[in-house]
Amino acid sequence: MLVAMLVPQLAWAETEGFANLDMTGTQRGIYTVLIFIIAYGFVMTEEFTHMRKSKPVILAAGIIWAHAAILAQQKGVPAEEMHAAFEHDLKEYAELMLFLLVAMTYINSMAERNVFEALRSWLVRKQFGYRQLFLITGIITFFLSSVADNLTAALLVGAVVLAVGADNPKFVSIGFVNLVIAANAGGAFCPFGDITTLMVWQAEYAEFFDFFKLFIPSVVNYAVPAAVMYFAVPNEQPKETNEAVVVLKPGAIQICVMFLFTIATAVSFKQVLHLPPFMGMMVGLSALMLYGYFIKVRYTVEGETGFDVFNKVRHAEWDTLLFFFGVVFAVGGLGYIGYLELLSGAMYQGLGPTTANIMVGLISAIVDNIPVMFAVLNMGVDMDLYQWLLVTLTAGVGGSLLSVGSAAGVALMGQSDHKYTFFSHLKWTPAIAAGYAASIFTHYLING
């Protein structure tokens, strides 16, 4: 695939009103590919270097676009046309960034109001057996990740697994594999659950309710490996704990309800008003701001800071949002030079859409699914709804094949205190691969 990207392109593609530069065979063009590979090498080794993944890709994006601008000047492309290509990437990023920022602010607000801590406390105090907890935490993560991102869902429920399995490393190891699979599968069938699904929705390749056709394939993707792992879970009872009851703070339930209304507003703006979904999310954010003011005035006691919605904005996953900026502009710059059309020809014309879309999921096990999906969306591939849903499914769940394939897996490795590792996950990769294949076959049977 990399070799295909480094050979000269044969055609000049028209995309969004501007043309690719068709300069993939130039020394400067090849240099931009190497810059992207080096930057992504740092992203993949974040677990060991502890350097945030946003830093190298933002630098790479700047370098790639600087070289793209020089190539455009050498080719005699008008500055207005180059700006059109650049502004296309800016529009893509702005819409998704504002959408995600609102969702993250709501999640942070619910966490500050003790919504997730109360759920964790309740599960710990119920004294379920390990096998019961395996199923309960997996199912909760599956559905939670359909409205929150897979990273948030995995970390929140991962705290429960760690709390009850403190004296049982085997349960923590299997439990975390279970959470990674559930989080990635749950995010695939709803635009709010995974950035890649959101990207396909906002690109208008599928309508909001079309994605729910992936619900049963997503369930199958989780259920197959979960059924295999279930019998390896210790059939024991955790030690009793003196877990204290966590009380919800004022406004917790109301904020949860407001989040659901915000989702409904975003869908309505897209489906009914034909406006970008982020506008509906911003309306929901304004409602949270106004209600936050009410909480602060009504419930803050003297000496306390009280509820401040801007603190929740401040604590959004800015590393993820800025990483997404770097990815959009780096991949967009490579696309403007001509590499995405070249890659599209190698994959989708050479292999066919079904094989190519299955490969996208396998690539997502190694490379983060965000740049992979953004590349697919910008290849200008002509596919029907079945194929767009297939690539949404594979890009979403393919990251479960390896622990480094998704943000959820990487985060849980850091949280587990060496109880969940790359190799402990790799042990279950055959079962996960069976679920991957079964979900694709289920999608074919139901939607093909």
Side-chain angles (χ1 to χ4, degrees):
M1 190 183 308
L2 180 58
V3 173
M5 292 177 70
L6 297 178
V7 297
Q9 184 176 340
L10 300 177
W12 207 17
E14 295 289 338
T15 310
E16 298 288 334
F18 56 86
N20 294 336
L21 295 177
D22 186 28
M23 301 187 78
T24 55
T26 62
Q27 183 177 357
R28 195 177 293 274
I30 295 171
Y31 175 71
T32 61
V33 175
L34 295 177
I35 287 294
F36 182 77
I37 292 172
I38 292 169
Y40 217 83
F42 281 104
V43 172
M44 295 176 68
T45 56
E46 179 187 11
E47 180 194 355
F48 309 104
T49 63
H50 304 293
M51 179 167 64
R52 297 292 185 92
K53 60 183 178 291
S54 59
K55 298 177 181 180
V57 290
I58 291 175
L59 177 61
I63 295 173
I64 289 169
W65 265 105
H67 284 283
I70 294 171
L71 288 171
Q73 291 173 8
Q74 291 175 353
K75 198 175 181 70
V77 175
E80 294 76 13
E81 188 176 313
M82 185 193 67
H83 288 166
F86 187 83
E87 288 165 3
H88 168 258
D89 292 344
L90 180 61
K91 174 179 174 291
E92 292 279 339
Y93 174 69
E95 289 187 4
L96 287 162
M97 181 267 202
L98 290 171
F99 187 103
L100 293 169
L101 182 61
V102 176
M104 290 175 177
T105 301
Y106 261 101
I107 295 297
N108 289 342
S109 298
M110 288 188 281
E112 191 271 342
R113 294 286 98 182
N114 286 346
V115 171
F116 303 116
E117 189 64 17
L119 174 63
R120 185 197 66 79
S121 171
W122 180 80
L123 284 171
V124 172
R125 287 184 288 108
K126 291 298 289 184
Q127 289 292 296
F128 292 112
Y130 284 127
R131 289 190 171 180
Q132 287 177 300
L133 276 168
F134 177 85
L135 295 176
I136 292 169
T137 54
I139 292 170
I140 288 175
T141 304
F142 181 87
F143 286 102
L144 182 59
S145 66
S146 67
V147 290
D149 65 276
N150 60 3
L151 173 62
T152 301
L155 285 176
L156 290 171
V157 186
V160 178
V161 173
L162 270 180
V164 297
D167 300 318
N168 197 317
K170 183 179 180 181
F171 171 71
V172 173
S173 175
I174 299 175
F176 275 18
V177 176
N178 182 50
L179 296 187
V180 171
I181 301 167
N184 291 330
F189 71 88
C190 178
F192 290 83
D194 194 289
I195 294 177
T196 54
T197 315
L198 174 63
M199 289 162 71
V200 175
W201 179 42
Q202 295 215 130
E204 300 185 345
Y205 287 112
E207 296 296 332
F208 181 81
F209 295 102
D210 287 336
F211 292 99
F212 290 94
K213 295 177 181 178
L214 293 176
F215 176 73
I216 295 178
S218 296
V219 170
V220 170
N221 180 268
Y222 166 65
V224 170
V228 175
M229 292 189 295
Y230 176 81
F231 297 100
V233 177
N235 190 15
E236 303 169 7
Q237 196 75 17
K239 293 182 179 179
E240 291 191 17
T241 61
N242 297 318
E243 180 73 22
V245 176
V246 175
V247 180
L248 293 174
K249 292 183 180 179
I253 301 299
Q254 290 86 336
I255 290 176
C256 292
V257 173
M258 287 170 63
F259 184 43
L260 295 177
F261 274 109
T262 297
I263 292 174
T265 303
V267 174
S268 299
F269 267 61
K270 180 74 166 62
Q271 303 294 118
V272 180
L273 301 177
H274 306 292
L275 289 170
F278 81 87
M279 196 65 212
M281 295 295 285
M282 293 302 288
V283 171
L285 177 62
S286 69
L288 178 61
M289 289 175 167
L290 293 170
Y291 186 66
Y293 175 78
F294 169 77
I295 294 176
K296 191 169 185 177
V297 172
R298 175 69 177 81
Y299 295 107
T300 303
V301 298
E302 189 174 349
E304 289 186 0
T305 305
F307 183 88
D308 184 353
V309 71
F310 290 102
N311 277 332
K312 312 304 169 285
V313 174
R314 186 181 301 120
H315 291 110
E317 285 286 331
W318 283 102
D319 180 50
T320 298
L321 293 173
L322 293 174
F323 168 71
F324 191 50
F325 169 87
V327 164
V328 166
F329 281 91
V331 174
L334 292 174
Y336 183 51
I337 294 171
Y339 286 108
L340 292 187
E341 185 187 358
L342 200 61
L343 192 56
S344 172
M347 288 182 62
Y348 285 89
Q349 294 175 27
L351 300 174
T354 300
T355 303
N357 288 333
I358 293 172
M359 279 186 61
V360 165
L362 300 179
I363 295 169
S364 296
I366 304 169
V367 179
D368 191 278
N369 59 4
I370 295 174
V372 175
M373 180 58 84
F374 188 75
V376 172
L377 290 171
N378 284 272
M379 286 177 184
V381 182
D382 183 20
M383 296 192 295
D384 58 18
L385 178 61
Y386 169 80
Q387 292 293 348
W388 279 113
L389 291 179
L390 175 61
V391 74
T392 301
L393 175 68
T394 57
V397 304
S400 301
L401 291 166
L402 298 174
S403 63
V404 296
S406 66
V410 173
L412 288 179
M413 281 194 292
Q415 188 186 38
S416 70
D417 192 24
H418 305 293
K419 295 174 183 174
Y420 166 67
T421 64
F422 176 87
F423 292 102
S424 67
H425 188 106
L426 190 65
K427 175 183 176 182
W428 298 105
T429 293
I432 300 168
Y436 181 74
S439 64
I440 293 170
F441 184 62
T442 304
H443 173 55
Y444 170 75
L445 292 178
I446 297 174
N447 304 314

